[in-house]
Amino acid sequence: MSKAEAIKCCGEMGFLQFLAKQHHVKVTTWEGDSLSEAKFVLEKFDDESLKVFYLLRQAPQLLSNVSLADAKSKMSNLLGQSGFPATEYHLNVKPDSIAELDIMLSTMVGKSVSWVEFSSATIFDQQLSTSEFTTLKAIKDRVNEFRDNSAINKVKAAIDNNERVMFVAGGLHFMPVMNALMQ
């Protein structure tokens, strides 16, 4: 209902949607749907590893500006049948508990590690750049490949329909998409 509420709720995307609504501008996500993304990634990776990846990617947000107890409560909710890995990606597999998440993560990387160590997006990216986390890095690359391809297809379709397009994305996605559109 207001600029401040939009930003508080959803950051930059909330503000962009707020402005678009005021000016009757159509807004759509370029990322593609979650289930198709999961199917694309699962062509090369197992469902448990993908669930661990999605959970770790949320860790920085869960740990931000809340107590550890609150963050653990939120993670426990994500691990359950009503959490987004199960509902959006249809990943009804282990891990089902925080203890199981930490065990699976440690097993994947060959050393003792906990999800709470992923307290920022920077730390998440730094960890994934190490040799222990090659599987999770490869999953991240596959997710980004799906999202980039989705953006390319959506932007091309809009251009083919003579629509004006403003593409908003971070640097990780912007250059691959723009390069593909310039070909």
Side-chain angles (χ1 to χ4, degrees):
M1 298 307 290
S2 72
K3 173 183 168 182
E5 288 176 12
I7 293 169
K8 183 178 179 184
C9 163
C10 307
E12 296 92 346
M13 285 307 301
F15 181 58
L16 179 64
Q17 289 185 15
F18 173 78
L19 291 175
K21 185 176 180 181
Q22 283 188 324
H23 298 282
H24 310 286
V25 174
K26 177 180 137 184
V27 175
T28 187
T29 181
W30 52 266
E31 292 182 340
D33 70 278
S34 301
L35 190 54
S36 295
E37 176 181 297
K39 287 179 180 178
F40 182 77
V41 177
L42 290 171
E43 290 173 0
K44 295 191 175 188
F45 299 96
D46 67 274
D47 47 2
E48 290 177 351
S49 295
L50 181 57
K51 184 175 180 180
V52 168
F53 169 79
Y54 284 134
L55 292 167
L56 290 180
R57 195 172 65 179
Q58 291 300 306
Q61 291 173 307
L62 298 180
L63 293 161
S64 177
N65 301 317
V66 298
S67 69
L68 183 56
D70 287 342
K72 286 181 177 181
S73 175
K74 290 178 182 181
M75 180 58 82
S76 291
N77 289 335
L78 290 181
L79 286 158
Q81 294 303 309
S82 62
F84 82 89
T87 58
E88 287 186 38
Y89 298 100
H90 295 187
L91 296 170
N92 297 305
V93 296
K94 293 181 179 189
D96 296 318
S97 68
I98 288 176
E100 206 169 53
L101 172 60
D102 285 343
I103 289 167
M104 290 175 71
L105 176 59
S106 296
T107 301
M108 287 176 74
V109 301
K111 67 178 185 178
S112 180
V113 63
S114 173
W115 73 276
V116 297
E117 295 175 37
F118 293 81
S119 57
S120 73
T122 302
I123 291 171
F124 178 81
D125 287 337
Q126 287 171 345
Q127 286 282 47
L128 266 57
S129 69
T130 65
S131 61
E132 295 93 354
F133 288 86
T134 55
T135 298
L136 293 174
K137 170 71 166 89
I139 290 172
K140 179 183 176 185
D141 291 344
R142 184 83 172 155
V143 166
N144 288 335
E145 179 184 354
F146 175 85
R147 292 179 177 191
D148 291 346
N149 289 338
S150 177
I152 292 161
N153 292 334
K154 287 183 178 188
V155 171
K156 282 182 177 179
I159 291 169
D160 290 347
N161 288 331
N162 294 316
E163 296 178 35
R164 288 178 152 180
V165 176
M166 181 171 80
F167 177 66
V168 179
L172 182 67
H173 298 287
F174 187 79
M175 290 311 297
V177 172
M178 290 300 110
N179 288 337
L181 292 173
M182 297 299 178
Q183 296 177 4

